[in-house]
Amino acid sequence: MTNQNSIHPNEVHDALAAKGGRNKRIQNLSRIHEICHRHFKNGNKNFSVSVVGKLLEAEGIIKSRALYNAASADYKILLNAWQEYAGSPTTESSTPNLSFIKRIEDPAIRQIIQSIISERDQLKSQLNTLKNNSSISIDYRPQKNENINSPNVVTVFSPLKQLTDIEIESLKKAICKDYLAYHGMIEGTHGEILNNKGRIVFDVGFARAIRKLIE
């Protein structure tokens, strides 16, 4: 069953062909249109670039990967028209916008707008589904092994848990004022470590980073 609210692919094809251009482009449009018509008559409803691209390549019209190029924009508009006409899953969601779409005189432009609206509505539907079915908890506590793979739970482990007591003490000593002074160094105003000649030994933020980690 076709989508009666969609633009007929014949209109889109004629509008795209009327733009003129190279003979090769117009010939390709017609041949792609014929392939899609045959595909539709065989009861197929998938007019994606990957599916139709294989049919076009099999008949020696264009390479499948060529459909992904910017120069093939008109070909993809035609494929979208066939997808809408065949009854894509997103067609019905664009129905409320048809009064606006029908005021666009150029069938090719009309098809582009309809495809954009359909894609937008599909993304909105997917987003709403995720919102309604997702509950994400962030647990900072150490987790038992059996809980780590629980659904909808993001476990955040403190980096400190990966360090031994000796390693933690070493970090504390690295920014200890007395320890630095004993070795002729000092912490600068921006967390850098300077030697007795005022030269930077450890870059800006070094001491601050260690404090954030261990505190």
Side-chain angles (χ1 to χ4, degrees):
M1 182 178 178
T2 60
N3 175 25
Q4 300 300 319
N5 292 320
S6 66
I7 309 165
H8 197 285
N10 287 346
E11 293 184 58
V12 178
H13 167 265
D14 293 345
L16 293 172
K19 290 168 58 178
R22 295 181 297 112
N23 289 336
K24 184 66 174 177
R25 172 188 165 278
I26 298 175
Q27 289 174 4
N28 283 344
L29 273 173
S30 296
R31 296 184 70 184
I32 292 172
H33 191 47
E34 292 171 5
I35 292 290
C36 289
H37 184 266
R38 190 191 315 158
H39 190 57
F40 175 74
K41 285 293 185 182
N42 289 335
N44 298 298
K45 290 183 175 292
N46 190 339
F47 289 85
S48 64
V49 170
S50 58
V51 170
V52 179
K54 292 177 181 178
L55 299 176
L56 300 177
E57 188 165 339
E59 301 229 1
I61 298 175
I62 59 174
K63 293 290 185 181
S64 177
R65 62 177 178 273
L67 287 175
Y68 294 94
N69 298 336
S72 299
D74 286 349
Y75 303 154
K76 285 185 282 191
I77 291 173
L78 185 56
L79 296 187
N80 287 336
W82 273 106
Q83 184 67 79
E84 293 287 342
Y85 183 70
S88 69
T90 60
T91 301
E92 293 184 359
S93 63
S94 63
T95 300
N97 303 286
L98 288 178
S99 59
F100 162 75
I101 294 175
K102 288 181 177 179
R103 294 200 297 269
I104 302 174
E105 296 182 0
D106 190 320
I109 300 299
R110 208 184 320 155
Q111 176 57 43
I112 293 173
I113 299 301
Q114 183 166 317
S115 297
I116 291 173
I117 292 174
S118 295
E119 184 176 359
R120 180 208 63 185
D121 291 345
Q122 182 184 31
L123 291 173
K124 285 174 66 177
S125 176
Q126 293 172 347
L127 179 59
N128 289 333
T129 299
L130 288 173
K131 285 181 179 179
N132 293 332
N133 294 282
S134 297
S135 177
I136 299 177
S137 301
I138 299 179
D139 193 344
Y140 287 90
R141 296 173 301 172
Q143 300 292 308
K144 295 181 180 179
N145 291 335
E146 60 269 21
N147 294 331
I148 291 177
N149 295 320
S150 298
N152 298 327
V153 174
V154 177
T155 303
V156 181
F157 292 100
S158 168
L160 207 59
K161 297 295 182 181
Q162 303 176 42
L163 301 178
T164 65
D165 292 340
I166 294 177
E167 290 170 337
I168 294 173
E169 288 303 317
S170 295
L171 289 175
K172 289 181 178 179
K173 184 183 290 186
I175 57 172
C176 174
K177 183 177 180 180
D178 292 338
Y179 179 81
L180 291 173
Y182 179 78
H183 290 278
M185 293 184 290
I186 189 174
E187 180 182 341
T189 56
H190 300 290
E192 72 275 25
I193 303 300
L194 308 168
N195 62 17
N196 55 10
K197 294 183 179 179
R199 294 176 181 174
I200 294 178
V201 178
F202 295 106
D203 290 337
V204 170
F206 175 79
R208 291 178 180 177
I210 291 179
R211 286 195 183 91
K212 288 179 180 179
L213 178 62
I214 63 178
E215 294 177 0

